[in-house]
Amino acid sequence: MLREDVTDAIRSAVFEELAAVGFARMSIEGIARRAGVGKTAVYRRWKSKLALVLDLVSAVAAQGLPVPSTGSLYGDVRALLEVASHALRHPLASRVIPDLLVEAARHPEISEAIKSALLDKEKGIAAAVVREAVARGELPEGTDPDRALDLIAGPLYWRLVVVRGDLPAGYLDDLATTAVAALTRDRTT
Amino acid sequence: MLREDVTDAIRSAVFEELAAVGFARMSIEGIARRAGVGKTAVYRRWKSKLALVLDLVSAVAAQGLPVPSTGSLYGDVRALLEVASHALRHPLASRVIPDLLVEAARHPEISEAIKSALLDKEKGIAAAVVREAVARGELPEGTDPDRALDLIAGPLYWRLVVVRGDLPAGYLDDLATTAVAALTRDRTT
DNA sequence: GTACGTCGCAACGCAACCGTTTCGTCGTGA
DNA sequence: TCACGACGAAACGGTTGCGTTGCGACGTAC
């Protein structure tokens, strides 16, 4: 019977190592060292570096993302931004997420895992938020949820991850207001 | 006298290698191999992998970014999106840029280089576009150019780089219209 | 035509990591 | 009490890249 505390230590080490050096530089030896564990213990559980990371991603996926339902489009969007901004400012996650997104361009398995663990769920959430807003009459029928996600998540990701700028007080409120206005506005001209 | 054709071959190889395997996995041996050149030729010119990349980035920076001046805010924004979408869909640049942006989080020198070669220039362009729009009366005084850049570049970067989705016909027009509307709208409530 | 510097190539010793195997220890279940 | 299996540690041979060195070939400037 594999010891669960060892398994947990390895999982944490993978996360930390991923944040520290990135997927490309991450090594099994480094993970075992960080976890205070023999390489044997790692290889007994996973067969490769890739398998370790895929396991980590699907573990994150399993815990799911909260689906906001505040009763208003603004409230839902604001809640989405709140959650996303926390993730993108988490000291470890803020390094791991962009790193894996970039690696996904080179590894189909990572791409697939990230897609089903994160992007598809976000798309689903956006779709749900849009659907409810349409039902409430806040948005016109036929509103494109993918475009909605671009407008909601894009500016935040750009600022926090790409530019790595700060988040002034009230900025999330402003982004939410802006996104709602952009979605509400008739897409004419 | 160093042979210029060799220098050029190395520079190209760095760019291609960066796109193929990323900064983390890139090796001097791989670059020399790809350039069809001895390691000696590389070390005679640059002292490390980092120096090679910094040189590449500042070479890109030197050629500068076009500053749009179409006479209207929409025209300028649309032109910005056009240029950015080309860069982010270029088969090599679309891999190199996100990779270096992520590496920048780990290497202050890369961060600094990218910042002065790309981000600061983009901010400058956004500032110029906003300034002219204010002068024309299209935007209110005190419009935040950083926020403007978030709203213009964020959705596009999210779609092309993060989600790696497609770009439907008319999408850039729509993004430009949306961004202009978001900027124009009085930022109340 | 001679001298110099760059060229590609190959080899150097060193370090890190690969994935595997062996070993002695320890904890648990039968 | 005993057997079994997971544990950490260490070593294995092999691969890759490091940064350096020595080599003979080539080309150009003087």
Side-chain angles (χ1 to χ4, degrees):
Chain A
M1 193 87 301
L2 298 175
R3 270 170 51 191
E4 196 150 349
D5 57 331
V6 170
T7 305
D8 292 346
I10 296 172
R11 278 215 176 85
S12 300
V14 170
F15 191 51
E16 291 163 19
E17 195 76 0
L18 216 42
V21 306
F23 179 78
R25 290 183 189 83
M26 189 178 84
S27 71
I28 303 264
E29 304 221 338
I31 291 164
R33 208 178 303 132
R34 185 184 289 269
V37 138
K39 275 200 290 180
T40 329
V42 178
Y43 280 110
R44 200 173 285 123
R45 290 166 172 81
W46 294 275
K47 71 176 223 297
S48 69
K49 177 169 105 166
L50 183 59
L52 268 163
V53 169
L54 295 183
D55 178 90
L56 179 75
V57 171
S58 61
V60 169
Q63 80 183 58
L65 290 174
V67 181
S69 185
T70 62
S72 77
L73 177 56
Y74 174 85
D76 287 356
V77 170
R78 185 60 179 75
L80 279 182
L81 289 174
E82 190 66 34
V83 170
S85 79
H86 274 106
L88 295 180
R89 284 187 297 169
H90 183 285
L92 297 186
S94 67
R95 286 169 170 259
V96 172
I97 292 171
D99 186 84
L100 289 183
L101 281 169
V102 167
E103 289 294 338
R106 273 182 275 266
H107 304 277
E109 305 94 327
I110 294 182
S111 176
E112 204 50 46
I114 293 257
K115 197 159 132 44
S116 63
L118 265 169
L119 301 180
D120 281 355
K121 302 212 170 181
E122 287 175 12
K123 286 191 180 189
I125 292 173
V129 166
V130 166
R131 196 184 322 116
E132 291 177 22
V134 169
R136 279 190 302 262
E138 286 193 87
L139 290 180
E141 300 241 10
T143 298
D144 178 4
D146 288 345
R147 172 174 174 274
L149 188 55
D150 292 353
L151 297 178
I152 295 167
L156 182 66
Y157 190 86
W158 174 270
R159 172 167 286 243
L160 291 182
V161 176
V162 178
V163 183
R164 289 214 305 283
D166 62 344
L167 207 58
Y171 198 75
L172 291 185
D173 298 331
D174 175 54
L175 274 189
T177 305
T178 303
V180 167
L183 290 170
T184 305
R185 178 182 56 84
D186 223 2
R187 228 179 321 151
T188 53
T189 73
Chain B
M1 194 83 305
L2 298 176
R3 269 170 52 190
E4 195 149 350
D5 57 330
V6 171
T7 306
D8 291 345
I10 296 172
R11 279 216 174 86
S12 299
V14 170
F15 190 51
E16 291 163 18
E17 194 76 1
L18 215 42
V21 305
F23 179 78
R25 290 184 188 82
M26 189 177 84
S27 71
I28 303 263
E29 304 223 340
I31 291 164
R33 210 178 302 135
R34 184 185 289 269
V37 138
K39 275 200 291 180
T40 329
V42 177
Y43 279 111
R44 200 172 285 123
R45 292 166 171 79
W46 294 275
K47 71 176 224 295
S48 70
K49 178 170 103 168
L50 182 60
L52 268 164
V53 170
L54 296 183
D55 179 89
L56 180 75
V57 171
S58 61
V60 169
Q63 80 182 60
L65 291 175
V67 182
S69 186
T70 63
S72 77
L73 177 57
Y74 174 85
D76 288 355
V77 169
R78 185 61 180 75
L80 280 182
L81 289 174
E82 189 66 34
V83 170
S85 80
H86 273 107
L88 295 181
R89 285 186 297 168
H90 182 285
L92 297 186
S94 67
R95 286 169 169 260
V96 172
I97 292 171
D99 185 84
L100 289 183
L101 281 169
V102 166
E103 289 294 338
R106 271 183 276 267
H107 304 278
E109 305 93 328
I110 294 183
S111 176
E112 204 50 46
I114 294 258
K115 198 159 131 42
S116 62
L118 266 170
L119 301 180
D120 281 354
K121 301 211 170 183
E122 286 176 12
K123 285 192 181 188
I125 291 172
V129 166
V130 166
R131 197 184 322 116
E132 292 177 21
V134 169
R136 279 190 302 262
E138 286 193 87
L139 290 180
E141 301 240 11
T143 298
D144 178 5
D146 287 345
R147 172 173 173 275
L149 187 56
D150 293 353
L151 296 178
I152 296 167
L156 181 66
Y157 190 88
W158 175 269
R159 173 167 285 244
L160 291 183
V161 176
V162 178
V163 183
R164 289 212 305 283
D166 62 343
L167 206 57
Y171 198 75
L172 291 185
D173 300 330
D174 174 53
L175 274 190
T177 304
T178 304
V180 168
L183 290 169
T184 306
R185 176 182 57 85
D186 224 2
R187 225 179 325 152
T188 50
T189 70

